[in-house]
Every structure is written in C-alpha cells, then in structure tokens.
Amino acid sequence: MKTYNSIYVLLTLVIIGCSKSDDSIVNEEKPTSIDADYAVMLSSGATLAPQLLNANGELLTLNPEESNLASKSIPQLTSLEGSEFFQYHKTGCSGRITRHDFTKDETAEIDVFDDLDDCMLTAVALLTSDTKICIAYEREIDEKTSTFGVRIIDRKSADLDFVDVPLNKKPLDLAIANDRLFIMTLDVELSEENYLSVLDFSSNSLIHEMNLGFRARRVFNTSEDTIIISYDELHTTLDSASLSFVFTNYAEGTEPKFTANAFDCFDGDGKLYYPKAADAVSTYPEIPAVYDFTKNLVTLYAYENFLTEEKRDFEFEIETTTTVNYDEKNDLILIGYKKVGKQEGGLLRIKPSPEPAFVDHIDLEGVPYVLFVN
C-alpha cells in the first residue's frame, strides 16, 4: 500500500470591513474600464432562462439581444466549462444534455442513455471538459439492488462516441484533472464510507481507489489541476498526478463552508468565489465569500460593510446571495442575489479587498442562478 505524507495547517478567516462603509465613496485613482460582457441564468419558479448583460468597469446594462438558448425547466444536473453551460434533463426513460456556449451563442442537444432505454436509471453527477462529457448514474435492479457506472462521451468524435465504465460503489461527485476522472463514491453495501476512484482517460479504466473515510461532501478541481476533497471540518488537497495529499484543518469558527457550493467559479489565481452561510457575521443567510487555497484564507463580504441600510433593505431588497463570480478584466466581484419575497433578484458589483466598495447594481426579472463572464 502506498504511503502518503500529510501536513496539517489551520485555516484563517478575514471579515472585510470592521465598520459600515459609505457606498458613495469614489476612489481617486480611476481603474481602466474594459469590456467584459456577462450572461446570467435566471430562475423563475420552475424555469431557467438566460439574460445577457453589457458590462465594462464603469457601466452595467441589460443587453437587448436575446440569447439563442431557450428557457427550460430547472435541470436535474448542471456543469460549467469556461463559457459553456451544460444542463441535464431526464426525458422519459432516457436523458438529454443541453450545451450552450455563451461566447458563440450556440446551442446543441445531446441525447444520452437512449441505448439503454432504462426507466430505472438515474443520473447522479455531470461533469464536462473541453474534450469529455462524464455522467455518473445508478440503475435500480430491484428494491434492494442497484448497479453503478459512469458514461464517458468523447466530445471530439463526430458521432459522440462513448464508453460505460462500471463502478462497485455509488457515485456522488466528479472532478477532472491531469487527463484523469476522479469519482467520489459511497459504499452503500457495507461501511457507508466514502471512496475516491481514479479513472485514466487514455484507457478508460480505473487505476486507483482510496478510502476517504466518512462524511466527504464534494470533490472538485482547482485552476491549478489539483483535486479538493471537502468535508465540514477540513479539506484534502490531492496532487492529480502523484496522488499525494495534504490535509487543511479548520480552526473553530473559520470553516469556509464551500461544501454546498453549486458552481465552482475561480479566478486566474485559483481563488474560489461562492455564497457562504453568514453565521454571526451578517443578518443575511448567505453572503459573498472568496477562498484562497494558496493562503488557506477565506474572505467574507458582509453586505452591512459596503452598503447602507437604505440600499440593502429598500432600494435593492436583498434577501440572500444566490451566486458569486469575478470579472478579472475589471477586478470586480459579481454578486447575484434574491429579492425579499419575490422570484426576482439583482446583480451587484463591488471592488474586492483590501478596500471593498460598491460599484453599481442592476435589477433582474428572475433570481440569478449562475453567472458567466465572457
């Protein structure tokens, strides 16, 4: 059995703004404004629809053009790959993946599992790269027995060739790095422990399995092609090539809580942007957060520290944060939020630390579900 070295470090937390700031403050040094148009998927009841936005460093407006992506019901599974948004919907006894590229404004439909025609098949995880579409599934044989697998679709092949790889445990989550697929699983037959299976894309075969213990929450890859395995009280950073790992323990009260994050939005430095449970930091249920994996540092942006009460409660009507991303061209944090008691929301833009400041805002006819920066 291979032996791994482990290093334990404590995570730290920074709450931006010790006192309420005046959102009318204007920085003396005016930043360069660069066009960086956005797209936002908006949920409204049971539907999901796109909204295009025109943006630069100084101005944010609605784009009057309509996207070629049609409105759809809320998908069972989603995946992001650059400017591409993938949605999986079950269709009868099969499934369909809708791929939309917001940069090209092109949509394609991909039917999956037609060959199986299995009404007892349930897709449980979806992940995409520029060359692969991976969809993990469970097939119920009877009330007590299920089989598991992952379908790997070759995006570069003319006929979207695929291969099914059987799994001996229930798949929960997927990550891709170093031409490998990392599959977090659950041993439902015996121990209820989590495992990580590693699949090599060159042979489409499983090459390694490791025990993750209990209560692993997610697995995902950073922009540095390392794998993160997250738990409530720590996370493990796994080298995707050597499979060596390092544990990062959280001091009490500093937990970054990205385990429930639906979408992984990173900047060029590998920082993760996401909504985080506010706990005692803010009166709002979730607030914007940024996690720096290189420094083991989470930075929280409480609305009270960069917006006045009038703007928060009356002008913007903020109920909670729904999605967060980053405009790297203009150095702006993008915050999608839901309005109080409404199926509507808005988008805020702020300057990041060390001097966070409100930049602008726009109302949206739906609740922001996920943001794209083109």
PDB file of all heavy atoms in Angstrom, residues 19-49:
ATOM      1  N   SER A  19     -16.328  48.199  10.086  1.00  0.00           N
ATOM      2  CA  SER A  19     -17.452  49.100  10.302  1.00  0.00           C
ATOM      3  C   SER A  19     -18.131  49.348   8.973  1.00  0.00           C
ATOM      4  O   SER A  19     -17.584  49.060   7.925  1.00  0.00           O
ATOM      5  CB  SER A  19     -16.970  50.429  10.892  1.00  0.00           C
ATOM      6  OG  SER A  19     -16.052  51.058  10.008  1.00  0.00           O
ATOM      7  N   LYS A  20     -19.327  49.873   9.020  1.00  0.00           N
ATOM      8  CA  LYS A  20     -20.086  50.112   7.799  1.00  0.00           C
ATOM      9  C   LYS A  20     -19.409  51.190   6.966  1.00  0.00           C
ATOM     10  O   LYS A  20     -19.059  52.242   7.444  1.00  0.00           O
ATOM     11  CB  LYS A  20     -21.515  50.529   8.148  1.00  0.00           C
ATOM     12  CG  LYS A  20     -22.276  49.441   8.886  1.00  0.00           C
ATOM     13  CD  LYS A  20     -23.670  49.885   9.245  1.00  0.00           C
ATOM     14  CE  LYS A  20     -24.405  48.817  10.015  1.00  0.00           C
ATOM     15  NZ  LYS A  20     -25.756  49.234  10.408  1.00  0.00           N
ATOM     16  N   SER A  21     -19.298  50.890   5.671  1.00  0.00           N
ATOM     17  CA  SER A  21     -18.635  51.839   4.785  1.00  0.00           C
ATOM     18  C   SER A  21     -19.659  52.675   4.043  1.00  0.00           C
ATOM     19  O   SER A  21     -20.809  52.303   3.909  1.00  0.00           O
ATOM     20  CB  SER A  21     -17.749  51.083   3.779  1.00  0.00           C
ATOM     21  OG  SER A  21     -18.539  50.281   2.949  1.00  0.00           O
ATOM     22  N   ASP A  22     -19.225  53.794   3.561  1.00  0.00           N
ATOM     23  CA  ASP A  22     -20.084  54.686   2.778  1.00  0.00           C
ATOM     24  C   ASP A  22     -19.977  54.293   1.322  1.00  0.00           C
ATOM     25  O   ASP A  22     -18.931  54.399   0.702  1.00  0.00           O
ATOM     26  CB  ASP A  22     -19.609  56.136   2.972  1.00  0.00           C
ATOM     27  CG  ASP A  22     -20.500  57.122   2.240  1.00  0.00           C
ATOM     28  OD1 ASP A  22     -21.392  56.677   1.491  1.00  0.00           O
ATOM     29  OD2 ASP A  22     -20.293  58.338   2.423  1.00  0.00           O
ATOM     30  N   ASP A  23     -21.103  53.810   0.722  1.00  0.00           N
ATOM     31  CA  ASP A  23     -21.041  53.326  -0.657  1.00  0.00           C
ATOM     32  C   ASP A  23     -20.987  54.461  -1.672  1.00  0.00           C
ATOM     33  O   ASP A  23     -20.995  54.224  -2.867  1.00  0.00           O
ATOM     34  CB  ASP A  23     -22.219  52.401  -0.970  1.00  0.00           C
ATOM     35  CG  ASP A  23     -23.551  53.022  -0.633  1.00  0.00           C
ATOM     36  OD1 ASP A  23     -23.667  54.251  -0.719  1.00  0.00           O
ATOM     37  OD2 ASP A  23     -24.488  52.272  -0.280  1.00  0.00           O
ATOM     38  N   SER A  24     -20.932  55.689  -1.210  1.00  0.00           N
ATOM     39  CA  SER A  24     -20.798  56.817  -2.137  1.00  0.00           C
ATOM     40  C   SER A  24     -19.350  57.218  -2.357  1.00  0.00           C
ATOM     41  O   SER A  24     -19.056  58.113  -3.140  1.00  0.00           O
ATOM     42  CB  SER A  24     -21.595  58.020  -1.606  1.00  0.00           C
ATOM     43  OG  SER A  24     -21.012  58.488  -0.394  1.00  0.00           O
ATOM     44  N   ILE A  25     -18.420  56.554  -1.635  1.00  0.00           N
ATOM     45  CA  ILE A  25     -17.007  56.903  -1.761  1.00  0.00           C
ATOM     46  C   ILE A  25     -16.510  56.549  -3.161  1.00  0.00           C
ATOM     47  O   ILE A  25     -16.782  55.476  -3.690  1.00  0.00           O
ATOM     48  CB  ILE A  25     -16.166  56.162  -0.708  1.00  0.00           C
ATOM     49  CG1 ILE A  25     -16.552  56.666   0.694  1.00  0.00           C
ATOM     50  CG2 ILE A  25     -14.687  56.335  -0.960  1.00  0.00           C
ATOM     51  CD1 ILE A  25     -15.868  55.911   1.818  1.00  0.00           C
ATOM     52  N   VAL A  26     -15.773  57.437  -3.761  1.00  0.00           N
ATOM     53  CA  VAL A  26     -15.204  57.203  -5.085  1.00  0.00           C
ATOM     54  C   VAL A  26     -13.694  57.170  -4.961  1.00  0.00           C
ATOM     55  O   VAL A  26     -13.085  58.062  -4.381  1.00  0.00           O
ATOM     56  CB  VAL A  26     -15.633  58.316  -6.080  1.00  0.00           C
ATOM     57  CG1 VAL A  26     -14.979  58.069  -7.432  1.00  0.00           C
ATOM     58  CG2 VAL A  26     -17.138  58.380  -6.198  1.00  0.00           C
ATOM     59  N   ASN A  27     -13.067  56.132  -5.495  1.00  0.00           N
ATOM     60  CA  ASN A  27     -11.614  56.036  -5.440  1.00  0.00           C
ATOM     61  C   ASN A  27     -10.978  57.137  -6.276  1.00  0.00           C
ATOM     62  O   ASN A  27     -11.443  57.456  -7.373  1.00  0.00           O
ATOM     63  CB  ASN A  27     -11.147  54.667  -5.951  1.00  0.00           C
ATOM     64  CG  ASN A  27     -11.587  53.548  -5.023  1.00  0.00           C
ATOM     65  OD1 ASN A  27     -11.766  53.761  -3.833  1.00  0.00           O
ATOM     66  ND2 ASN A  27     -11.770  52.361  -5.593  1.00  0.00           N
ATOM     67  N   GLU A  28      -9.897  57.710  -5.795  1.00  0.00           N
ATOM     68  CA  GLU A  28      -9.224  58.786  -6.512  1.00  0.00           C
ATOM     69  C   GLU A  28      -8.595  58.265  -7.798  1.00  0.00           C
ATOM     70  O   GLU A  28      -8.615  58.925  -8.820  1.00  0.00           O
ATOM     71  CB  GLU A  28      -8.153  59.413  -5.615  1.00  0.00           C
ATOM     72  CG  GLU A  28      -8.731  60.161  -4.415  1.00  0.00           C
ATOM     73  CD  GLU A  28      -7.642  60.799  -3.583  1.00  0.00           C
ATOM     74  OE1 GLU A  28      -6.458  60.704  -3.987  1.00  0.00           O
ATOM     75  OE2 GLU A  28      -7.955  61.401  -2.548  1.00  0.00           O
ATOM     76  N   GLU A  29      -8.031  57.062  -7.720  1.00  0.00           N
ATOM     77  CA  GLU A  29      -7.397  56.502  -8.906  1.00  0.00           C
ATOM     78  C   GLU A  29      -8.425  55.692  -9.689  1.00  0.00           C
ATOM     79  O   GLU A  29      -8.884  54.644  -9.255  1.00  0.00           O
ATOM     80  CB  GLU A  29      -6.227  55.594  -8.510  1.00  0.00           C
ATOM     81  CG  GLU A  29      -5.453  55.069  -9.710  1.00  0.00           C
ATOM     82  CD  GLU A  29      -4.268  54.235  -9.291  1.00  0.00           C
ATOM     83  OE1 GLU A  29      -3.920  54.256  -8.090  1.00  0.00           O
ATOM     84  OE2 GLU A  29      -3.694  53.562 -10.155  1.00  0.00           O
ATOM     85  N   LYS A  30      -8.820  56.156 -10.837  1.00  0.00           N
ATOM     86  CA  LYS A  30      -9.873  55.521 -11.610  1.00  0.00           C
ATOM     87  C   LYS A  30      -9.307  54.350 -12.403  1.00  0.00           C
ATOM     88  O   LYS A  30      -8.347  54.505 -13.149  1.00  0.00           O
ATOM     89  CB  LYS A  30     -10.485  56.545 -12.572  1.00  0.00           C
ATOM     90  CG  LYS A  30     -11.771  56.062 -13.229  1.00  0.00           C
ATOM     91  CD  LYS A  30     -12.380  57.196 -14.039  1.00  0.00           C
ATOM     92  CE  LYS A  30     -13.686  56.786 -14.664  1.00  0.00           C
ATOM     93  NZ  LYS A  30     -14.297  57.872 -15.438  1.00  0.00           N
ATOM     94  N   PRO A  31      -9.882  53.132 -12.242  1.00  0.00           N
ATOM     95  CA  PRO A  31      -9.349  51.971 -12.946  1.00  0.00           C
ATOM     96  C   PRO A  31      -9.677  52.011 -14.431  1.00  0.00           C
ATOM     97  O   PRO A  31     -10.617  52.666 -14.865  1.00  0.00           O
ATOM     98  CB  PRO A  31     -10.062  50.800 -12.266  1.00  0.00           C
ATOM     99  CG  PRO A  31     -11.346  51.393 -11.775  1.00  0.00           C
ATOM    100  CD  PRO A  31     -11.015  52.812 -11.396  1.00  0.00           C
ATOM    101  N   THR A  32      -8.881  51.314 -15.188  1.00  0.00           N
ATOM    102  CA  THR A  32      -9.140  51.194 -16.613  1.00  0.00           C
ATOM    103  C   THR A  32     -10.385  50.363 -16.828  1.00  0.00           C
ATOM    104  O   THR A  32     -10.553  49.313 -16.224  1.00  0.00           O
ATOM    105  CB  THR A  32      -7.946  50.533 -17.322  1.00  0.00           C
ATOM    106  OG1 THR A  32      -6.776  51.299 -17.063  1.00  0.00           O
ATOM    107  CG2 THR A  32      -8.182  50.444 -18.813  1.00  0.00           C
ATOM    108  N   SER A  33     -11.276  50.816 -17.696  1.00  0.00           N
ATOM    109  CA  SER A  33     -12.523  50.105 -17.962  1.00  0.00           C
ATOM    110  C   SER A  33     -12.369  49.258 -19.210  1.00  0.00           C
ATOM    111  O   SER A  33     -11.978  49.757 -20.269  1.00  0.00           O
ATOM    112  CB  SER A  33     -13.665  51.116 -18.136  1.00  0.00           C
ATOM    113  OG  SER A  33     -14.863  50.455 -18.441  1.00  0.00           O
ATOM    114  N   ILE A  34     -12.674  47.955 -19.081  1.00  0.00           N
ATOM    115  CA  ILE A  34     -12.521  47.013 -20.187  1.00  0.00           C
ATOM    116  C   ILE A  34     -13.845  46.294 -20.402  1.00  0.00           C
ATOM    117  O   ILE A  34     -14.489  45.858 -19.442  1.00  0.00           O
ATOM    118  CB  ILE A  34     -11.407  45.985 -19.886  1.00  0.00           C
ATOM    119  CG1 ILE A  34     -10.083  46.713 -19.645  1.00  0.00           C
ATOM    120  CG2 ILE A  34     -11.262  44.990 -21.026  1.00  0.00           C
ATOM    121  CD1 ILE A  34      -8.965  45.802 -19.191  1.00  0.00           C
ATOM    122  N   ASP A  35     -14.268  46.147 -21.658  1.00  0.00           N
ATOM    123  CA  ASP A  35     -15.496  45.412 -21.956  1.00  0.00           C
ATOM    124  C   ASP A  35     -15.359  43.965 -21.503  1.00  0.00           C
ATOM    125  O   ASP A  35     -14.379  43.290 -21.822  1.00  0.00           O
ATOM    126  CB  ASP A  35     -15.792  45.447 -23.451  1.00  0.00           C
ATOM    127  CG  ASP A  35     -16.260  46.821 -23.910  1.00  0.00           C
ATOM    128  OD1 ASP A  35     -16.680  47.615 -23.055  1.00  0.00           O
ATOM    129  OD2 ASP A  35     -16.198  47.101 -25.119  1.00  0.00           O
ATOM    130  N   ALA A  36     -16.343  43.510 -20.742  1.00  0.00           N
ATOM    131  CA  ALA A  36     -16.363  42.132 -20.254  1.00  0.00           C
ATOM    132  C   ALA A  36     -17.815  41.735 -20.070  1.00  0.00           C
ATOM    133  O   ALA A  36     -18.342  41.748 -18.964  1.00  0.00           O
ATOM    134  CB  ALA A  36     -15.591  42.000 -18.947  1.00  0.00           C
ATOM    135  N   ASP A  37     -18.487  41.419 -21.171  1.00  0.00           N
ATOM    136  CA  ASP A  37     -19.919  41.158 -21.109  1.00  0.00           C
ATOM    137  C   ASP A  37     -20.227  39.921 -20.283  1.00  0.00           C
ATOM    138  O   ASP A  37     -19.442  38.978 -20.207  1.00  0.00           O
ATOM    139  CB  ASP A  37     -20.486  41.005 -22.517  1.00  0.00           C
ATOM    140  CG  ASP A  37     -20.444  42.312 -23.296  1.00  0.00           C
ATOM    141  OD1 ASP A  37     -20.224  43.355 -22.657  1.00  0.00           O
ATOM    142  OD2 ASP A  37     -20.629  42.290 -24.517  1.00  0.00           O
ATOM    143  N   TYR A  38     -21.423  39.944 -19.655  1.00  0.00           N
ATOM    144  CA  TYR A  38     -21.842  38.861 -18.785  1.00  0.00           C
ATOM    145  C   TYR A  38     -23.090  38.175 -19.349  1.00  0.00           C
ATOM    146  O   TYR A  38     -23.823  38.742 -20.162  1.00  0.00           O
ATOM    147  CB  TYR A  38     -22.198  39.380 -17.374  1.00  0.00           C
ATOM    148  CG  TYR A  38     -21.205  40.311 -16.749  1.00  0.00           C
ATOM    149  CD1 TYR A  38     -21.635  41.351 -15.917  1.00  0.00           C
ATOM    150  CD2 TYR A  38     -19.831  40.158 -16.944  1.00  0.00           C
ATOM    151  CE1 TYR A  38     -20.741  42.208 -15.301  1.00  0.00           C
ATOM    152  CE2 TYR A  38     -18.926  41.013 -16.339  1.00  0.00           C
ATOM    153  CZ  TYR A  38     -19.385  42.036 -15.526  1.00  0.00           C
ATOM    154  OH  TYR A  38     -18.483  42.901 -14.926  1.00  0.00           O
ATOM    155  N   ALA A  39     -23.311  36.971 -18.883  1.00  0.00           N
ATOM    156  CA  ALA A  39     -24.579  36.270 -19.086  1.00  0.00           C
ATOM    157  C   ALA A  39     -24.977  35.692 -17.744  1.00  0.00           C
ATOM    158  O   ALA A  39     -24.129  35.225 -16.982  1.00  0.00           O
ATOM    159  CB  ALA A  39     -24.439  35.163 -20.128  1.00  0.00           C
ATOM    160  N   VAL A  40     -26.263  35.744 -17.448  1.00  0.00           N
ATOM    161  CA  VAL A  40     -26.747  35.205 -16.177  1.00  0.00           C
ATOM    162  C   VAL A  40     -27.949  34.318 -16.465  1.00  0.00           C
ATOM    163  O   VAL A  40     -28.830  34.661 -17.257  1.00  0.00           O
ATOM    164  CB  VAL A  40     -27.102  36.340 -15.186  1.00  0.00           C
ATOM    165  CG1 VAL A  40     -28.115  37.298 -15.774  1.00  0.00           C
ATOM    166  CG2 VAL A  40     -27.593  35.773 -13.877  1.00  0.00           C
ATOM    167  N   MET A  41     -27.945  33.118 -15.872  1.00  0.00           N
ATOM    168  CA  MET A  41     -29.122  32.260 -15.936  1.00  0.00           C
ATOM    169  C   MET A  41     -30.024  32.644 -14.776  1.00  0.00           C
ATOM    170  O   MET A  41     -29.591  32.717 -13.618  1.00  0.00           O
ATOM    171  CB  MET A  41     -28.724  30.792 -15.836  1.00  0.00           C
ATOM    172  CG  MET A  41     -27.869  30.288 -16.991  1.00  0.00           C
ATOM    173  SD  MET A  41     -28.695  30.393 -18.610  1.00  0.00           S
ATOM    174  CE  MET A  41     -30.085  29.279 -18.374  1.00  0.00           C
ATOM    175  N   LEU A  42     -31.304  32.909 -15.088  1.00  0.00           N
ATOM    176  CA  LEU A  42     -32.263  33.365 -14.099  1.00  0.00           C
ATOM    177  C   LEU A  42     -33.315  32.293 -13.859  1.00  0.00           C
ATOM    178  O   LEU A  42     -33.881  31.754 -14.808  1.00  0.00           O
ATOM    179  CB  LEU A  42     -32.952  34.643 -14.578  1.00  0.00           C
ATOM    180  CG  LEU A  42     -32.063  35.865 -14.826  1.00  0.00           C
ATOM    181  CD1 LEU A  42     -32.876  36.991 -15.437  1.00  0.00           C
ATOM    182  CD2 LEU A  42     -31.399  36.317 -13.530  1.00  0.00           C
ATOM    183  N   SER A  43     -33.563  31.992 -12.587  1.00  0.00           N
ATOM    184  CA  SER A  43     -34.639  31.064 -12.254  1.00  0.00           C
ATOM    185  C   SER A  43     -35.881  31.868 -11.898  1.00  0.00           C
ATOM    186  O   SER A  43     -35.807  32.921 -11.266  1.00  0.00           O
ATOM    187  CB  SER A  43     -34.239  30.157 -11.088  1.00  0.00           C
ATOM    188  OG  SER A  43     -34.060  30.903  -9.898  1.00  0.00           O
ATOM    189  N   SER A  44     -37.013  31.346 -12.340  1.00  0.00           N
ATOM    190  CA  SER A  44     -38.293  31.978 -12.039  1.00  0.00           C
ATOM    191  C   SER A  44     -39.309  30.863 -11.882  1.00  0.00           C
ATOM    192  O   SER A  44     -39.770  30.294 -12.867  1.00  0.00           O
ATOM    193  CB  SER A  44     -38.703  32.940 -13.155  1.00  0.00           C
ATOM    194  OG  SER A  44     -39.938  33.554 -12.866  1.00  0.00           O
ATOM    195  N   GLY A  45     -39.619  30.510 -10.644  1.00  0.00           N
ATOM    196  CA  GLY A  45     -40.472  29.360 -10.414  1.00  0.00           C
ATOM    197  C   GLY A  45     -39.729  28.091 -10.802  1.00  0.00           C
ATOM    198  O   GLY A  45     -38.660  27.792 -10.274  1.00  0.00           O
ATOM    199  N   ALA A  46     -40.274  27.359 -11.776  1.00  0.00           N
ATOM    200  CA  ALA A  46     -39.683  26.082 -12.193  1.00  0.00           C
ATOM    201  C   ALA A  46     -38.881  26.199 -13.481  1.00  0.00           C
ATOM    202  O   ALA A  46     -38.456  25.187 -14.037  1.00  0.00           O
ATOM    203  CB  ALA A  46     -40.780  25.027 -12.356  1.00  0.00           C
ATOM    204  N   THR A  47     -38.661  27.416 -13.973  1.00  0.00           N
ATOM    205  CA  THR A  47     -37.971  27.588 -15.247  1.00  0.00           C
ATOM    206  C   THR A  47     -36.636  28.299 -15.073  1.00  0.00           C
ATOM    207  O   THR A  47     -36.407  29.007 -14.088  1.00  0.00           O
ATOM    208  CB  THR A  47     -38.833  28.383 -16.249  1.00  0.00           C
ATOM    209  OG1 THR A  47     -39.080  29.697 -15.718  1.00  0.00           O
ATOM    210  CG2 THR A  47     -40.158  27.682 -16.495  1.00  0.00           C
ATOM    211  N   LEU A  48     -35.787  28.105 -16.077  1.00  0.00           N
ATOM    212  CA  LEU A  48     -34.461  28.717 -16.099  1.00  0.00           C
ATOM    213  C   LEU A  48     -34.271  29.356 -17.468  1.00  0.00           C
ATOM    214  O   LEU A  48     -34.476  28.704 -18.503  1.00  0.00           O
ATOM    215  CB  LEU A  48     -33.398  27.636 -15.864  1.00  0.00           C
ATOM    216  CG  LEU A  48     -32.006  28.075 -15.402  1.00  0.00           C
ATOM    217  CD1 LEU A  48     -32.084  28.785 -14.064  1.00  0.00           C
ATOM    218  CD2 LEU A  48     -31.086  26.861 -15.301  1.00  0.00           C
ATOM    219  N   ALA A  49     -33.903  30.642 -17.492  1.00  0.00           N
ATOM    220  CA  ALA A  49     -33.778  31.376 -18.744  1.00  0.00           C
ATOM    221  C   ALA A  49     -32.557  32.282 -18.699  1.00  0.00           C
ATOM    222  O   ALA A  49     -32.162  32.765 -17.635  1.00  0.00           O
ATOM    223  CB  ALA A  49     -35.035  32.210 -19.010  1.00  0.00           C
TER     224      ALA A  49
END
